[in-house]
Amino acid sequence: GAVVSQHPSRVICKSGTSVKIECRSLDFQATTMFWYRQFPKKSLMLMATSNEGSKATYEQGVEKDKFLINHASLTLSTLTVTSAHPEDSSFYICSASPVPGTNNDEQFFGPGTRLTVL
Amino acid sequence: GENVEQHPSTLSVQEGDSAVIKCTYSDSASNYFPWYKQELGKRPQLIIDIRSNVGEKKDQRIAVTLNKTAKHFSLHITETQPEDSAVYFCAASIRTDKLIFGTGTRLQVFP
């Protein structure tokens, strides 16, 4: 089956530092990857759509200069939380969508990254 | 943009009973409707999905129904077991486009 990995699984950082989270599709190519944020006891909120070789599309209210997304290859997307603050502490989850034409609508989720900003 | 509402927010049932969770969506262009089960600190796990060209789909104890006209879809779990206890999310999307999630339902199955 399709596997998506995320690294790191958890990270603790000091306020003001930057944190990079990697999302990899291990056994399929993903033209598109999605980044979600989930606060405790809340739903998954889409932050941005990451497109290979082009700029990410951010959802309303998500600061593109704070949450930098790079999708340099068909198997890797990165999310960098710049100048992190305690309110950025959350569970960040990526998902990957197979290359169009595979007749598969399912998105495959990474295991998530727990970010704690002190 | 798409908006997905989900009810109830919590649901408690006795083991062996059925559980039903309902969702409505706003964008008539949405054509893919997955349901996820999420345990604490884990990734969402796809349990069943349905596409807009189908009205009902069943997989053992789990079934999903879709009413395109009314723009709502429901998850039905029969013969519930304690291990079914988790948070369930519905979602809607247009094919492989972004998923918009419902607010979640915390299901508790008591032995």
Coordinates of all heavy atoms in Angstrom, one line a residue, chain A residues 28-117:
Chain A
F28 N 5.2 5.9 -4.0 CA 4.5 6.5 -5.1 C 4.9 7.9 -5.3 O 5.5 8.6 -4.4 CB 3.0 6.3 -4.9 CG 2.4 7.2 -3.8 CD1 1.8 8.4 -4.0 CD2 2.5 6.8 -2.4 CE1 1.3 9.2 -3.0 CE2 2.0 7.6 -1.4 CZ 1.4 8.8 -1.7
Q29 N 4.6 8.4 -6.5 CA 4.9 9.8 -6.8 C 3.6 10.7 -6.5 O 2.5 10.3 -6.8 CB 5.3 10.0 -8.2 CG 6.6 9.3 -8.6 CD 7.0 9.5 -10.0 OE1 6.1 9.6 -10.9 NE2 8.3 9.7 -10.2
A30 N 3.9 11.8 -5.9 CA 2.8 12.7 -5.5 C 3.0 14.1 -6.1 O 3.8 14.8 -5.7 CB 2.7 12.8 -4.0
T31 N 2.1 14.4 -7.1 CA 2.2 15.7 -7.6 C 1.8 16.8 -6.6 O 2.3 17.9 -6.6 CB 1.2 15.8 -8.8 OG1 1.5 14.8 -9.8 CG2 1.3 17.1 -9.5
T32 N 0.8 16.3 -5.8 CA 0.3 17.3 -4.8 C 0.4 16.7 -3.4 O 0.1 15.5 -3.2 CB -1.2 17.5 -5.1 OG1 -1.3 18.0 -6.5 CG2 -1.8 18.6 -4.2
M33 N 0.8 17.5 -2.5 CA 0.8 17.2 -1.1 C 0.0 18.3 -0.3 O 0.0 19.4 -0.7 CB 2.2 17.0 -0.5 CG 2.9 15.8 -1.1 SD 4.5 15.6 -0.3 CE 5.1 14.0 -1.0
F34 N -0.6 17.9 0.8 CA -1.4 18.8 1.6 C -0.8 18.8 3.0 O -0.4 17.8 3.6 CB -2.8 18.4 1.6 CG -3.5 18.2 0.2 CD1 -3.4 17.0 -0.4 CD2 -4.1 19.3 -0.4 CE1 -4.0 16.9 -1.7 CE2 -4.6 19.2 -1.6 CZ -4.6 18.0 -2.3
W35 N -0.9 20.0 3.6 CA -0.5 20.2 5.0 C -1.7 20.6 5.8 O -2.4 21.5 5.5 CB 0.6 21.2 5.1 CG 2.0 20.7 4.6 CD1 2.5 20.9 3.3 CD2 2.9 19.9 5.3 NE1 3.7 20.3 3.2 CE2 4.0 19.7 4.4 CE3 3.0 19.4 6.6 CZ2 5.1 19.0 4.8 CZ3 4.1 18.7 7.0 CH2 5.1 18.5 6.1
Y36 N -1.9 19.9 6.9 CA -3.0 20.1 7.9 C -2.4 20.4 9.2 O -1.3 20.0 9.6 CB -3.9 18.9 8.0 CG -4.6 18.5 6.7 CD1 -4.0 17.7 5.8 CD2 -5.9 19.0 6.4 CE1 -4.6 17.3 4.6 CE2 -6.5 18.6 5.2 CZ -5.9 17.8 4.3 OH -6.5 17.4 3.2
R37 N -3.2 21.1 10.0 CA -2.8 21.4 11.4 C -4.0 21.0 12.3 O -5.2 21.2 11.9 CB -2.5 22.9 11.6 CG -2.2 23.3 13.0 CD -1.6 24.7 13.0 NE -2.5 25.7 12.4 CZ -2.2 27.0 12.3 NH1 -1.1 27.4 12.8 NH2 -3.0 27.8 11.7
Q38 N -3.7 20.3 13.4 CA -4.8 19.8 14.2 C -4.5 20.2 15.7 O -3.5 19.7 16.3 CB -4.9 18.3 14.1 CG -6.1 17.8 14.8 CD -6.3 16.3 14.6 OE1 -5.4 15.5 14.4 NE2 -7.6 15.8 14.7
F39 N -5.3 21.0 16.2 CA -5.2 21.4 17.6 C -5.9 20.4 18.5 O -6.8 19.6 18.0 CB -5.8 22.8 17.9 CG -4.9 23.9 17.3 CD1 -5.4 24.6 16.2 CD2 -3.7 24.2 17.8 CE1 -4.6 25.6 15.6 CE2 -2.9 25.2 17.2 CZ -3.4 25.9 16.1
P40 N -5.6 20.3 19.8 CA -6.2 19.2 20.6 C -7.7 19.2 20.6 O -8.3 20.3 20.7 CB -5.7 19.6 22.0 CG -4.4 20.2 21.8 CD -4.6 21.0 20.5
K41 N -8.3 18.0 20.4 CA -9.7 17.8 20.3 C -10.4 18.6 19.2 O -11.6 18.9 19.3 CB -10.3 18.2 21.7 CG -9.8 17.3 22.8 CD -10.6 17.5 24.1 CE -10.1 16.5 25.2 NZ -10.8 16.7 26.5
K42 N -9.7 19.0 18.2 CA -10.2 19.7 17.1 C -10.0 18.9 15.8 O -9.4 17.8 15.8 CB -9.6 21.1 16.9 CG -9.8 22.0 18.1 CD -11.2 22.4 18.2 CE -11.4 23.4 19.4 NZ -12.8 23.8 19.6
S43 N -10.6 19.4 14.7 CA -10.5 18.7 13.4 C -9.2 19.1 12.7 O -8.5 20.0 13.2 CB -11.7 19.1 12.6 OG -11.7 18.4 11.4
L44 N -9.0 18.4 11.6 CA -7.9 18.8 10.8 C -8.2 20.0 9.9 O -9.3 20.0 9.2 CB -7.5 17.6 9.9 CG -6.8 16.4 10.5 CD1 -7.8 15.5 11.2 CD2 -6.0 15.7 9.4
M45 N -7.4 21.0 10.0 CA -7.6 22.2 9.2 C -6.5 22.3 8.1 O -5.3 22.3 8.4 CB -7.5 23.4 10.1 CG -8.6 23.4 11.2 SD -10.3 23.4 10.6 CE -10.3 25.0 9.7
L46 N -7.0 22.4 6.9 CA -6.0 22.5 5.8 C -5.3 23.8 5.9 O -5.9 24.9 6.0 CB -6.8 22.4 4.5 CG -5.9 22.5 3.2 CD1 -5.0 21.3 3.1 CD2 -6.8 22.6 2.0
M47 N -4.0 23.7 5.8 CA -3.2 24.9 5.8 C -2.8 25.4 4.4 O -2.9 26.5 4.0 CB -1.9 24.7 6.6 CG -2.0 24.3 8.0 SD -0.5 24.0 8.8 CE 0.3 25.6 8.7
A48 N -2.4 24.4 3.6 CA -1.9 24.7 2.2 C -1.8 23.5 1.4 O -1.7 22.4 1.9 CB -0.5 25.4 2.3
T49 N -1.8 23.7 0.1 CA -1.7 22.7 -0.9 C -0.3 22.9 -1.6 O 0.0 24.0 -2.1 CB -2.8 22.8 -2.0 OG1 -4.0 22.7 -1.4 CG2 -2.6 21.7 -3.0
S50 N 0.5 21.9 -1.5 CA 1.9 21.9 -2.0 C 1.9 21.2 -3.4 O 1.6 20.1 -3.5 CB 2.8 21.2 -1.0 OG 4.1 21.0 -1.5
N51 N 2.3 22.0 -4.4 CA 2.4 21.5 -5.8 C 3.8 21.3 -6.2 O 4.6 22.3 -6.1 CB 1.6 22.4 -6.7 CG 0.2 22.5 -6.3 OD1 -0.6 21.6 -6.4 ND2 -0.2 23.7 -6.0
E52 N 4.2 20.2 -6.7 CA 5.6 19.9 -7.1 C 6.0 20.9 -8.2 O 5.3 21.1 -9.2 CB 5.7 18.5 -7.6 CG 7.1 18.1 -8.0 CD 7.5 18.3 -9.4 OE1 6.5 18.3 -10.2 OE2 8.7 18.4 -9.7
G53 N 7.1 21.6 -8.0 CA 7.6 22.5 -9.0 C 6.9 23.9 -9.1 O 7.3 24.7 -9.9
S54 N 6.0 24.2 -8.2 CA 5.4 25.5 -8.2 C 5.1 26.0 -6.8 O 5.3 25.2 -5.8 CB 4.1 25.4 -9.0 OG 3.1 24.6 -8.4
K55 N 4.6 27.2 -6.7 CA 4.3 27.7 -5.4 C 3.1 27.1 -4.7 O 2.2 26.6 -5.4 CB 4.1 29.2 -5.5 CG 5.3 30.1 -5.9 CD 5.0 31.5 -5.9 CE 6.2 32.4 -6.3 NZ 5.9 33.8 -6.3
A56 N 3.2 27.0 -3.4 CA 2.1 26.4 -2.7 C 0.9 27.3 -2.7 O 1.0 28.6 -2.8 CB 2.5 26.1 -1.2
T57 N -0.3 26.8 -2.5 CA -1.5 27.5 -2.4 C -2.0 27.5 -0.9 O -2.2 26.4 -0.4 CB -2.6 26.9 -3.3 OG1 -2.2 26.9 -4.6 CG2 -3.9 27.8 -3.2
Y58 N -2.0 28.7 -0.3 CA -2.4 28.7 1.1 C -3.8 29.0 1.3 O -4.5 29.7 0.6 CB -1.5 29.8 1.8 CG -0.1 29.5 1.9 CD1 0.8 29.7 0.8 CD2 0.5 29.0 3.0 CE1 2.1 29.4 0.9 CE2 1.8 28.7 3.1 CZ 2.6 28.9 2.0 OH 4.0 28.5 2.1
E59 N -4.4 28.4 2.4 CA -5.8 28.7 2.8 C -5.9 30.1 3.4 O -4.9 30.6 3.9 CB -6.3 27.6 3.7 CG -6.4 26.2 3.1 CD -7.3 26.2 1.9 OE1 -8.5 26.5 2.0 OE2 -6.8 25.9 0.8
Q60 N -7.1 30.6 3.4 CA -7.3 31.9 4.0 C -6.9 31.9 5.5 O -7.3 31.0 6.2 CB -8.8 32.3 3.8 CG -9.1 33.7 4.1 CD -10.5 34.1 3.8 OE1 -11.3 33.2 3.4 NE2 -10.8 35.3 3.9
G61 N -6.2 32.9 5.8 CA -5.8 33.0 7.2 C -4.5 32.4 7.6 O -4.0 32.5 8.7
V62 N -3.9 31.7 6.7 CA -2.6 31.0 6.9 C -1.5 31.9 6.3 O -1.5 32.2 5.1 CB -2.5 29.6 6.3 CG1 -1.1 29.0 6.5 CG2 -3.6 28.7 6.9
E63 N -0.5 32.3 7.1 CA 0.5 33.2 6.7 C 1.6 32.5 5.9 O 2.3 31.6 6.4 CB 1.2 33.9 7.9 CG 0.2 34.7 8.8 CD 1.0 35.2 10.0 OE1 2.0 35.9 9.9 OE2 0.5 34.9 11.1
K64 N 1.7 32.8 4.6 CA 2.7 32.1 3.8 C 4.1 32.4 4.1 O 5.0 31.6 3.9 CB 2.4 32.4 2.3 CG 2.6 33.9 2.0 CD 2.4 34.1 0.5 CE 2.6 35.6 0.1 NZ 2.3 35.8 -1.4
D65 N 4.4 33.6 4.7 CA 5.7 33.9 5.1 C 6.1 33.2 6.4 O 7.3 33.2 6.8 CB 5.9 35.4 5.3 CG 5.7 36.1 3.9 OD1 6.1 35.5 2.9 OD2 5.3 37.3 3.9
K66 N 5.2 32.8 7.2 CA 5.5 32.1 8.4 C 5.6 30.6 8.2 O 6.4 29.9 8.8 CB 4.4 32.4 9.4 CG 4.6 31.7 10.8 CD 3.6 32.2 11.8 CE 3.9 31.5 13.1 NZ 5.3 31.8 13.7
F67 N 4.7 30.1 7.3 CA 4.7 28.6 7.1 C 5.2 28.4 5.6 O 4.4 28.5 4.7 CB 3.3 28.1 7.2 CG 2.8 28.2 8.6 CD1 1.9 29.2 9.0 CD2 3.1 27.3 9.6 CE1 1.4 29.4 10.3 CE2 2.7 27.4 10.9 CZ 1.8 28.5 11.2
L68 N 6.5 28.2 5.5 CA 7.1 28.1 4.2 C 7.0 26.6 3.7 O 7.4 25.7 4.4 CB 8.6 28.5 4.3 CG 8.9 29.9 4.8 CD1 10.4 30.2 4.8 CD2 8.2 30.9 3.9
I69 N 6.6 26.5 2.5 CA 6.4 25.2 1.9 C 7.2 25.0 0.7 O 7.2 25.9 -0.2 CB 4.9 24.9 1.7 CG1 4.1 24.7 3.0 CG2 4.7 23.6 0.8 CD1 2.6 24.6 2.8
N70 N 7.9 23.9 0.6 CA 8.7 23.6 -0.6 C 8.4 22.2 -1.1 O 8.4 21.3 -0.3 CB 10.2 23.8 -0.3 CG 11.1 23.6 -1.5 OD1 11.4 22.4 -1.9 ND2 11.4 24.6 -2.2
H71 N 8.1 22.1 -2.3 CA 7.8 20.7 -2.9 C 8.7 20.5 -4.1 O 8.4 20.7 -5.2 CB 6.3 20.7 -3.3 CG 5.8 19.4 -3.6 ND1 4.4 19.1 -3.5 CD2 6.4 18.2 -4.0 CE1 4.2 17.8 -3.8 NE2 5.4 17.3 -4.1
A72 N 10.0 20.2 -3.8 CA 11.0 20.2 -4.8 C 11.0 18.9 -5.6 O 11.6 18.9 -6.7 CB 12.4 20.3 -4.1
S73 N 10.4 17.8 -5.2 CA 10.4 16.6 -6.0 C 9.0 15.9 -5.8 O 8.2 16.4 -5.0 CB 11.5 15.7 -5.5 OG 11.1 15.0 -4.3
L74 N 8.8 14.9 -6.6 CA 7.5 14.2 -6.6 C 7.3 13.3 -5.3 O 6.3 12.7 -5.1 CB 7.3 13.3 -7.8 CG 7.0 14.1 -9.1 CD1 7.0 13.2 -10.3 CD2 5.6 14.8 -9.0
T75 N 8.4 13.3 -4.5 CA 8.2 12.5 -3.3 C 8.5 13.2 -2.0 O 8.5 12.6 -0.9 CB 9.2 11.3 -3.3 OG1 10.6 11.8 -3.5 CG2 8.9 10.4 -4.5
L76 N 8.8 14.5 -2.1 CA 9.2 15.3 -0.8 C 8.5 16.6 -0.8 O 8.7 17.4 -1.8 CB 10.7 15.4 -0.7 CG 11.2 16.3 0.4 CD1 10.8 15.7 1.7 CD2 12.7 16.4 0.3
S77 N 7.9 17.0 0.3 CA 7.4 18.3 0.6 C 7.9 18.7 2.0 O 7.9 17.8 2.9 CB 5.9 18.4 0.5 OG 5.5 19.7 0.8
T78 N 8.3 19.9 2.2 CA 8.7 20.3 3.5 C 7.9 21.6 3.9 O 7.5 22.4 3.1 CB 10.2 20.7 3.5 OG1 10.5 21.8 2.6 CG2 11.1 19.5 3.2
L79 N 7.6 21.6 5.2 CA 7.0 22.7 5.9 C 7.9 23.3 6.9 O 8.4 22.5 7.8 CB 5.7 22.2 6.5 CG 5.0 23.2 7.5 CD1 4.4 24.4 6.7 CD2 3.9 22.6 8.3
T80 N 8.2 24.5 6.8 CA 9.1 25.2 7.8 C 8.2 26.2 8.5 O 7.7 27.1 7.9 CB 10.3 25.9 7.1 OG1 11.0 24.9 6.4 CG2 11.2 26.6 8.1
V81 N 8.2 26.0 9.8 CA 7.5 27.0 10.7 C 8.6 28.0 11.1 O 9.5 27.6 11.9 CB 6.9 26.3 11.9 CG1 6.1 27.3 12.8 CG2 5.9 25.2 11.5
T82 N 8.5 29.2 10.6 CA 9.5 30.2 11.0 C 9.1 31.0 12.2 O 7.9 31.2 12.5 CB 9.7 31.2 9.8 OG1 8.5 31.9 9.6 CG2 10.1 30.4 8.5
S83 N 10.1 31.4 13.0 CA 9.9 32.2 14.2 C 8.7 31.6 15.0 O 7.7 32.3 15.2 CB 9.7 33.6 13.8 OG 9.6 34.5 15.0
A84 N 8.9 30.4 15.4 CA 7.8 29.7 16.0 C 7.4 30.3 17.4 O 8.3 30.8 18.1 CB 8.1 28.2 16.2
H85 N 6.2 30.3 17.7 CA 5.7 30.8 19.0 C 4.8 29.8 19.6 O 4.3 28.8 19.0 CB 4.9 32.1 18.8 CG 5.7 33.3 18.3 ND1 6.6 33.9 19.2 CD2 5.9 33.9 17.1 CE1 7.2 34.9 18.5 NE2 6.8 34.9 17.3
P86 N 4.6 29.9 20.9 CA 3.8 28.8 21.6 C 2.4 28.5 21.0 O 2.0 27.4 21.0 CB 3.6 29.4 23.0 CG 4.9 30.2 23.2 CD 5.2 30.8 21.9
E87 N 1.8 29.5 20.4 CA 0.5 29.3 19.7 C 0.6 28.5 18.4 O -0.4 28.0 17.9 CB -0.2 30.6 19.4 CG 0.6 31.6 18.6 CD 1.4 32.6 19.4 OE1 1.8 32.3 20.5 OE2 1.6 33.7 18.9
D88 N 1.9 28.2 18.0 CA 2.1 27.4 16.8 C 2.2 25.9 17.2 O 2.2 25.0 16.4 CB 3.4 27.8 16.1 CG 3.3 29.2 15.5 OD1 2.2 29.6 15.0 OD2 4.3 29.9 15.5
S89 N 2.2 25.7 18.5 CA 2.2 24.3 19.0 C 1.0 23.6 18.6 O -0.1 24.0 18.8 CB 2.3 24.3 20.6 OG 3.5 24.9 21.0
S90 N 1.2 22.4 17.9 CA 0.1 21.7 17.3 C 0.6 20.4 16.7 O 1.7 20.1 16.8 CB -0.6 22.6 16.2 OG -1.8 22.0 15.7
F91 N -0.4 19.7 16.2 CA -0.1 18.4 15.5 C -0.1 18.7 14.0 O -1.2 19.1 13.5 CB -1.1 17.4 15.9 CG -0.8 15.9 15.5 CD1 0.5 15.4 15.7 CD2 -1.7 15.1 14.9 CE1 0.7 14.1 15.4 CE2 -1.5 13.8 14.6 CZ -0.2 13.3 14.8
Y92 N 1.0 18.6 13.3 CA 1.0 18.9 11.8 C 1.0 17.6 11.1 O 1.8 16.7 11.3 CB 2.2 19.7 11.5 CG 2.2 21.1 12.1 CD1 2.6 21.4 13.4 CD2 1.7 22.2 11.3 CE1 2.5 22.7 13.9 CE2 1.6 23.5 11.9 CZ 2.0 23.7 13.2 OH 1.9 24.9 13.7
I93 N 0.1 17.4 10.1 CA 0.0 16.2 9.4 C 0.0 16.5 7.9 O -0.7 17.5 7.4 CB -1.4 15.5 9.7 CG1 -1.6 15.3 11.2 CG2 -1.4 14.1 9.0 CD1 -2.9 14.7 11.5
C94 N 0.7 15.7 7.1 CA 0.7 15.9 5.7 C 0.0 14.8 5.1 O -0.3 13.7 5.7 CB 2.1 16.0 5.1 SG 3.0 14.4 5.2
S95 N -0.5 15.0 3.9 CA -1.1 13.9 3.1 C -0.6 14.1 1.6 O -0.2 15.2 1.2 CB -2.6 13.9 3.1 OG -3.1 15.0 2.4
A96 N -0.6 12.9 0.9 CA -0.1 12.9 -0.4 C -1.1 12.3 -1.3 O -1.8 11.4 -1.0 CB 1.2 12.2 -0.5
S97 N -1.3 12.9 -2.5 CA -2.2 12.5 -3.5 C -1.4 11.9 -4.7 O -0.5 12.5 -5.1 CB -3.1 13.6 -3.9 OG -4.2 13.2 -4.7
P98 N -1.8 10.7 -5.1 CA -1.0 10.1 -6.3 C -1.1 11.0 -7.5 O -2.0 11.8 -7.6 CB -1.7 8.8 -6.5 CG -2.4 8.5 -5.2 CD -2.8 9.8 -4.6
V99 N -0.2 10.8 -8.4 CA -0.2 11.5 -9.7 C -1.5 11.3 -10.4 O -2.0 10.2 -10.4 CB 1.0 11.0 -10.5 CG1 0.9 11.6 -11.9 CG2 2.3 11.3 -9.9
P100 N -2.1 12.3 -10.9 CA -3.4 12.2 -11.6 C -3.3 11.1 -12.7 O -2.3 10.9 -13.3 CB -3.6 13.6 -12.3 CG -2.8 14.5 -11.4 CD -1.6 13.7 -10.9
G101 N -4.4 10.5 -12.9 CA -4.5 9.4 -13.9 C -4.4 8.0 -13.3 O -4.5 7.0 -14.0
T102 N -4.1 8.0 -12.0 CA -4.0 6.7 -11.3 C -5.4 6.1 -10.9 O -5.5 5.1 -10.4 CB -3.1 6.8 -10.1 OG1 -3.7 7.7 -9.2 CG2 -1.7 7.1 -10.5
N103 N -6.4 6.9 -11.1 CA -7.8 6.5 -10.8 C -7.9 6.1 -9.3 O -8.6 5.2 -9.0 CB -8.2 5.2 -11.7 CG -9.7 5.0 -11.7 OD1 -10.4 6.0 -11.6 ND2 -10.1 3.8 -11.8
N104 N -7.2 6.9 -8.5 CA -7.3 6.7 -7.1 C -7.5 8.0 -6.4 O -6.6 8.9 -6.5 CB -6.0 6.0 -6.6 CG -6.1 5.6 -5.1 OD1 -7.0 6.0 -4.4 ND2 -5.2 4.8 -4.7
D105 N -8.7 8.2 -5.8 CA -9.0 9.5 -5.1 C -8.4 9.5 -3.7 O -8.4 10.6 -3.1 CB -10.5 9.7 -5.1 CG -11.1 9.8 -6.5 OD1 -10.3 10.2 -7.4 OD2 -12.2 9.4 -6.6
E106 N -8.0 8.4 -3.2 CA -7.6 8.4 -1.8 C -6.3 9.2 -1.5 O -5.4 9.2 -2.3 CB -7.3 7.0 -1.3 CG -7.0 6.8 0.2 CD -6.8 5.4 0.6 OE1 -7.0 4.5 -0.2 OE2 -6.4 5.2 1.7
Q107 N -6.3 9.9 -0.4 CA -5.1 10.6 0.0 C -4.5 9.8 1.1 O -5.2 9.2 2.0 CB -5.5 12.0 0.6 CG -5.8 13.0 -0.5 CD -6.0 14.4 0.0 OE1 -5.4 14.8 1.0 NE2 -6.7 15.2 -0.7
F108 N -3.2 9.8 1.2 CA -2.5 9.0 2.1 C -1.8 9.9 3.1 O -1.0 10.8 2.8 CB -1.5 8.1 1.4 CG -2.1 7.2 0.4 CD1 -2.2 7.6 -0.9 CD2 -2.7 6.0 0.8 CE1 -2.9 6.8 -1.8 CE2 -3.3 5.2 -0.1 CZ -3.4 5.6 -1.4
F109 N -2.1 9.7 4.4 CA -1.6 10.6 5.5 C -0.3 10.1 6.1 O 0.0 8.9 6.2 CB -2.6 10.7 6.6 CG -3.8 11.5 6.2 CD1 -4.9 11.0 5.5 CD2 -3.8 12.9 6.5 CE1 -6.0 11.8 5.1 CE2 -4.9 13.7 6.1 CZ -6.0 13.1 5.4
G110 N 0.5 11.1 6.4 CA 1.7 10.8 7.2 C 1.3 10.6 8.7 O 0.2 10.9 9.0
P111 N 2.3 10.2 9.5 CA 2.0 9.9 10.9 C 1.8 11.1 11.8 O 1.5 11.0 12.9 CB 3.1 9.0 11.3 CG 4.2 9.4 10.4 CD 3.6 9.8 9.1
G112 N 2.2 12.3 11.2 CA 2.0 13.5 12.0 C 3.3 13.9 12.7 O 4.2 13.1 13.0
T113 N 3.4 15.2 13.0 CA 4.5 15.7 13.8 C 4.0 16.6 14.9 O 3.2 17.5 14.6 CB 5.4 16.6 12.9 OG1 6.0 15.8 11.9 CG2 6.5 17.3 13.7
R114 N 4.3 16.2 16.1 CA 3.9 17.0 17.3 C 4.9 18.1 17.5 O 6.0 17.8 17.9 CB 3.7 16.1 18.5 CG 3.5 16.8 19.8 CD 2.0 17.2 19.9 NE 1.1 16.1 19.8 CZ -0.2 16.2 19.5 NH1 -0.7 17.4 19.5 NH2 -1.0 15.1 19.4
L115 N 4.5 19.3 17.3 CA 5.4 20.5 17.6 C 5.0 21.2 18.9 O 3.8 21.5 19.1 CB 5.3 21.5 16.4 CG 6.0 22.9 16.7 CD1 7.5 22.7 16.8 CD2 5.7 23.8 15.5
T116 N 6.0 21.3 19.8 CA 5.8 22.0 21.0 C 6.8 23.2 21.0 O 8.0 23.0 20.9 CB 6.0 21.1 22.2 OG1 5.1 20.0 22.2 CG2 5.7 21.9 23.5
V117 N 6.3 24.4 21.2 CA 7.1 25.6 21.2 C 7.1 26.1 22.6 O 6.0 26.5 23.2 CB 6.6 26.7 20.2 CG1 7.6 27.8 20.2 CG2 6.5 26.1 18.8

